[in-house]
Amino acid sequence: MAVEHRVLLGIGVSSGTAHGAIAVVSPAPGVDTHEPRTDDVDAATQQVSDALETVATSLLERAEHASEKAQEILNATAKMARDRGLKKAIVKELKNGSGLTRAISDAIQKYADMFIELGGYMAERATDLYDVRDRAIAVARGLPMPGIPELSEPSIIVARDLAPAETATLDPDKALGIVIAEGGPTSHTAILAAQLGIPAAVRVGKVVDFATLAQAEGATMALDGGVGEVIIAPSQEDIDLLTERSEQREAALADSHGVGMTYDGHRVALLANIGTADDAKRAAEKDLEGSGLFRTEFLFLGREAAPSVEEQTEVYKTVFEAFGKRRITVRTLDAGADKPLKFADLGEEENPALGRRGVRLTRIREDLMDSQLEALAAAYKATGADVRVMAPMIATMEEAQWFADKARAVGLPSVGIMIEVPAAAINSAQLLSIVDFASIGTNDLAQYTMAADRMQGELASLLDVWQPAVLRMIRSACQGGTATGKYVGVCGEAGGDPLLALVLTGLGVQSLSMAPTKVGAVRAALKLHDLSTCQQMAAYAVDAPTANDARAAVEKLIHPDVKFLI
C-alpha cells in the first residue's frame, strides 16, 4: 500500500536538508499499571534511590566519551537525577500510597509543570526531567532504558521528544536528520543538533504517527531544518526543491553579521533571550548585541528557601562577565500564582493567570525583591557591565514607581518595566515617565489582550501576535516611548520571526530579543528593507481585519529573498 504524500510544518532549529529512511524512536515504558500501592515506604525509598543513582551513573559514563558541549548537558541531567528535592518529592508520593513507578512519574510531572508554566527556556528544560523519569521508571521495572534504535542505515530520526542524552551520542554519519513532535528551539536537543551539524526540526505536530506508518511501508522522508518543513514520501521534485531552497537560505544568511539595522541604516538592536548562566555563555559566543531578557526564575525554582544574596550575586556576575560590554537586561523574579514557589506560597487562587504573580508577588514579599536587587547591584558594581533591570507584570503607576525607587536606591543605572498587560500598553507614556525603558512581552500581551490562556492549545489562533488587536497594543506601547523619548523593545517570541520583526520595527520597536539561533535570519530580513517599508507593513497589518489578512498584506511587500528566511 502506497504511503500518502504529506507535508508537515514545524520550527527549523538546525539548518540543512536531508532525505532518507525513517527511524522512529520507541516510546518509554511508562508507569506499571498493575503495580500495587506502597506499603513498605522504606523499601520503596531505597528502590527509588537505587534507580535514580543508576540513571545518574549511566549518564556520567556517557559523558566521559562525549564532546565538551554534550558533557555539559549529560552532567546537568545527571545532576537532576541526584537532586535531593526531587527524591523527597517522590518519597512524598510513596507515603501517600502511590506505587513505585506512579510515584516517580507524578512527582517528576509536578516538577516539570513548574518549568512549563515559566515558559520559554525553562519550559524546554522539562524534557530533561522527563528523560530522568523515563530512565528511572525503566530501571525500576527492570527494563532497558529508552533510546534511539540501532541504525542499520543512515536515517532521519523521528521521536515525540528526544532526550538530550540520546542526541549527545548520535553519530552524524548515521543520523541524517532529527524530527521532533514536541521540543523547542532552545532545547538541549536543538542545541546539540546544530552543534553536530544535523538538520533538525521541532514541534512538528503528528509526525510520529505518520512516520510510523511510513516506516512500516519502507517509505522515506525529506527534511528542511532551516524552515522546519518535513515531507513524508517525498517526490524527486520535492527533494530537489528542498536542496535548492537550503542553498538559497544559506546565501541569504551569508552577509548576516554585525549590528541589526534596516537597509537605510535604522538601528534595531538584536539580542538574546537567556535563562541560565550557561545560556549566557552560549549566547555570548554568538554574533549579537547582548541579552534583552535574562529570566532569573531558574535560581528560585524547586527550592525550600530563596537563594541568598551571595549566591545570586555570583550567578549574576557570571552572566554579566560573559557579555562583557554588551547590554544585559534582567527581568526580576516572575513567579507566584501559576508559578508557585514553596517559600513564597500565597495560597490557591481562583484564576492564577490573573493572580498575584510578578511584581504583585514581590510587593507582598518585599524581601525577595530587596535581596535580588541587592545582588544585582553588587554584581553590577563588581563588573561594570551594561546592566538594565526590569520588573514583570507592571500595570499601574504605583507599581512602576515602587520598583523604580527600589532599583535606583541600590544604585542600578537603568530601570525599566515589562509591558505585558493592556493597561501598561495603553498607559505606556505615563509609565515611561517614571522609568528608563520598557520591554514588551508579546506572549503575555497576546494572552491578556485576547483573553486566551497561553497554556490552552485550542486557543492558539487567538494568541497569534498577528492579531490586529495585539498589534495595536504594541503600537500604543511604542507611541508612549516616542512621546517620552524612552526606549521600547520586544522580548517575546514574536521578536524571532523575521516577518514580524519587520512589522515591529515599523511600529517603533527599537530592539528585538529572541532565541540566539534566530538572530541571523532576523538580521538578514531587516537589511533587505528600509524603515519606510517597515512602517508601511506595520500600517497595513494594524488595519487588517484578521490575523491572516495582516500577514498576507505584509507578505506582498517583502523582498523576494525573505521567503527563504521564514
Side-chain angles (χ1 to χ4, degrees):
M1 181 178 67
V3 177
E4 184 178 351
H5 174 278
R6 292 181 183 273
V7 178
L8 307 173
L9 296 176
I11 299 174
V13 294
S14 182
S15 61
T17 60
H19 166 245
I22 301 169
V24 179
V25 176
S26 300
V31 170
D32 181 356
T33 57
H34 301 294
E35 69 184 359
R37 289 170 56 85
T38 297
D39 294 323
D40 188 341
V41 174
D42 290 339
T45 297
Q46 187 60 53
Q47 286 181 276
V48 167
S49 297
D50 292 344
L52 292 173
E53 183 56 32
T54 298
V55 170
T57 300
S58 69
L59 292 169
L60 293 174
E61 287 174 352
R62 285 187 174 217
E64 292 177 1
H65 307 289
S67 66
E68 182 178 352
K69 183 59 64 179
Q71 283 179 359
E72 291 179 16
I73 294 170
L74 291 165
N75 289 337
T77 309
K79 187 176 180 181
M80 281 186 172
R82 285 176 169 166
D83 183 82
R84 292 181 180 178
L86 187 62
K87 179 182 172 182
K88 286 181 180 179
I90 297 172
V91 172
K92 182 178 179 180
E93 298 292 331
L94 292 172
K95 289 179 179 178
N96 289 335
S98 293
L100 182 62
T101 62
R102 172 57 64 187
I104 293 171
S105 179
D106 288 353
I108 291 180
Q109 184 61 56
K110 289 176 182 177
Y111 259 63
D113 286 343
M114 286 195 298
F115 282 35
I116 292 167
E117 291 291 345
L118 287 169
Y121 172 91
M122 297 308 298
E124 291 164 6
R125 296 287 73 74
T127 300
D128 303 9
L129 280 169
Y130 292 145
D131 185 24
V132 171
R133 175 199 64 193
D134 294 341
R135 290 170 181 275
I137 287 176
V139 172
R141 296 185 64 176
L143 299 171
M145 290 193 199
I148 296 169
E150 188 72 28
L151 300 179
S152 59
E153 60 180 321
S155 304
I156 295 176
I157 296 165
V158 178
R160 195 159 303 284
D161 210 346
L162 198 59
E166 296 303 321
T167 314
T169 53
L170 280 176
D171 179 356
D173 292 331
K174 287 288 187 72
L176 298 176
I178 299 172
V179 181
I180 305 298
E182 299 171 358
T186 61
S187 65
H188 280 152
T189 295
I191 292 167
L192 284 169
Q195 183 199 32
L196 293 168
I198 301 173
V202 300
R203 297 185 188 171
V204 191
K206 298 181 179 180
V207 67
V208 173
D209 295 336
F210 295 133
T212 300
L213 292 173
Q215 181 185 31
E217 296 296 326
T220 60
M221 173 184 285
L223 162 68
D224 183 340
V227 298
E229 184 174 80
V230 176
I231 305 176
I232 305 289
S235 66
Q236 188 58 50
E237 183 180 359
D238 290 327
I239 297 167
D240 293 342
L241 183 60
L242 285 183
T243 302
E244 179 184 358
R245 190 164 67 192
S246 180
E247 292 171 351
Q248 289 171 322
R249 177 182 171 82
E250 292 303 315
L253 290 173
D255 293 329
S256 179
H257 53 79
V259 298
M261 66 173 66
T262 59
Y263 178 76
D264 55 340
H266 175 74
R267 286 290 312 279
V268 182
L270 301 181
L271 311 164
N273 292 341
I274 59 174
T276 68
D278 287 341
D279 275 357
K281 294 174 184 177
R282 284 192 291 267
E285 296 173 355
K286 305 289 185 182
D287 182 10
L288 43 78
E289 298 168 68
S291 172
L293 175 63
F294 171 30
R295 304 178 182 95
T296 56
E297 286 76 43
F298 81 100
L299 274 166
F300 298 81
L301 279 174
R303 300 178 63 128
E304 298 293 332
S308 67
V309 171
E310 293 74 20
E311 180 183 350
Q312 291 188 63
T313 300
E314 289 305 308
V315 172
Y316 300 148
K317 282 169 60 178
T318 299
V319 171
F320 297 170
E321 288 168 350
F323 283 101
K325 297 301 181 183
R326 290 176 287 177
R327 76 176 74 172
I328 308 102
T329 308
V330 183
R331 184 180 70 188
T332 57
L333 178 62
D334 187 9
D338 60 336
K339 305 173 186 178
L341 298 172
K342 291 182 181 179
F343 51 85
D345 185 3
L346 302 180
E348 292 186 8
E349 296 183 302
E350 288 293 329
N351 193 335
L354 303 179
R356 293 170 293 180
R357 57 170 284 203
V359 75
R360 300 172 184 179
L361 169 66
T362 50
R363 289 191 78 188
I364 297 170
R365 286 290 307 272
E366 286 195 53
D367 57 309
L368 296 176
M369 179 64 80
D370 290 340
S371 63
Q372 185 168 30
L373 292 176
E374 181 183 347
L376 287 166
Y380 159 66
K381 292 167 185 173
T383 61
D386 181 1
V387 178
R388 308 165 190 209
V389 181
M390 59 186 181
M393 286 296 289
I394 294 290
T396 68
M397 297 279 282
E398 292 87 350
E399 291 169 343
Q401 191 68 62
W402 176 84
F403 175 68
D405 289 345
K406 280 186 173 292
R408 290 170 179 152
V410 296
L412 287 165
S414 183
V415 180
I417 61 169
M418 291 284 293
I419 293 181
E420 301 164 284
V421 299
I426 293 168
N427 292 325
S428 63
Q430 288 82 358
L431 294 171
L432 282 164
S433 70
I434 296 171
V435 297
D436 304 312
F437 71 93
S439 186
I440 302 169
T442 53
N443 303 342
D444 269 326
L445 185 59
Q447 170 175 238
Y448 294 126
T449 299
M450 304 302 294
D453 190 339
R454 283 173 57 184
M455 305 307 295
Q456 193 159 337
E458 296 84 355
L459 301 178
S461 63
L462 291 175
L463 296 167
D464 190 345
V465 179
W466 286 100
Q467 288 286 353
V470 179
L471 293 175
R472 291 187 186 111
M473 285 294 173
I474 295 172
R475 180 181 63 182
S476 178
C478 292
Q479 287 171 339
T482 301
T484 57
K486 301 292 179 66
Y487 176 98
V488 177
V490 159
C491 60
E493 292 298 319
D497 180 333
L499 203 57
L500 264 174
L502 300 173
V503 174
L504 295 172
T505 298
L507 290 171
V509 169
Q510 294 169 273
S511 73
L512 299 165
S513 194
M514 63 202 79
T517 54
K518 297 183 177 182
V519 169
V522 171
R523 180 165 44 217
L526 285 170
K527 286 185 176 180
L528 291 170
H529 303 83
D530 59 25
L531 178 59
S532 64
T533 301
C534 293
Q535 291 170 335
Q536 185 180 9
M537 290 175 176
Y540 282 6
V542 167
D543 290 339
T546 70
N548 289 338
D549 291 330
R551 185 181 180 97
V554 171
E555 286 178 338
K556 291 178 181 178
L557 298 175
I558 61 173
H559 187 286
D561 286 352
V562 174
K563 65 178 178 291
F564 303 124
L565 301 171
I566 57 178

